[in-house]
Amino acid sequence: FKYIVDNCNSDDDQIQLVRLYSLVVFYHSAGGSNWNDKSNWLDATTNMCEWSGVECANNENEITTLQASNNNLIGKIPEELGLLAELTDLQLGNNGLTEKIPSQ
């Protein structure tokens, strides 16, 4: 992953890649293949801001909200969510997550 980030053409590309990476890790850590609503998740043709439960600010791909309550999430919340610097609203209640939100 570091190799890919280091070889992006611009800082904006690197930031976007980190955001995408964070969401992909979250999907796999929280049992994404079994979610009730996983619309557009991991679809390479769809902007990550159009993935179900993901909201972004100002059409800039700045992820501000991740809403996945009551969505059959299982597993753990990965530390990589801490890489989403603009995330201010994290809604993960009523799922089968086994660990607390990481301190990062």
Side-chain angles (χ1 to χ4, degrees):
F1 178 75
K2 183 176 178 348
Y3 172 81
I4 295 170
V5 170
D6 289 345
N7 288 288
C8 287
N9 294 326
S10 71
D11 289 343
D12 287 341
D13 287 346
Q14 289 181 1
I15 291 168
Q16 289 303 88
L17 188 58
V18 168
R19 290 174 180 147
L20 180 61
Y21 170 76
S22 300
L23 290 178
V24 170
V25 170
F26 172 68
Y27 179 88
H28 289 291
S29 295
S33 61
N34 295 311
W35 291 355
N36 297 328
D37 183 3
K38 55 183 176 253
S39 302
N40 296 326
W41 276 81
L42 307 186
D43 181 348
T45 64
T46 304
N47 183 295
M48 63 188 154
C49 294
E50 296 176 21
W51 295 0
S52 64
V54 177
E55 295 179 23
C56 298
N58 305 322
N59 296 324
E60 295 292 327
N61 292 330
E62 295 176 356
I63 300 166
T64 57
T65 299
L66 184 55
Q67 199 304 93
S69 298
N70 300 304
N71 202 28
N72 198 36
L73 277 64
I74 55 172
K76 66 176 196 157
I77 302 169
E79 291 181 9
E80 287 81 359
L81 281 186
L83 298 173
L84 299 174
E86 299 87 7
L87 185 66
T88 57
D89 188 8
L90 180 62
Q91 301 176 30
L92 303 176
N94 298 317
N95 285 295
L97 297 168
T98 57
E99 297 182 23
K100 295 182 180 182
I101 297 173
S103 59
Q104 181 180 8

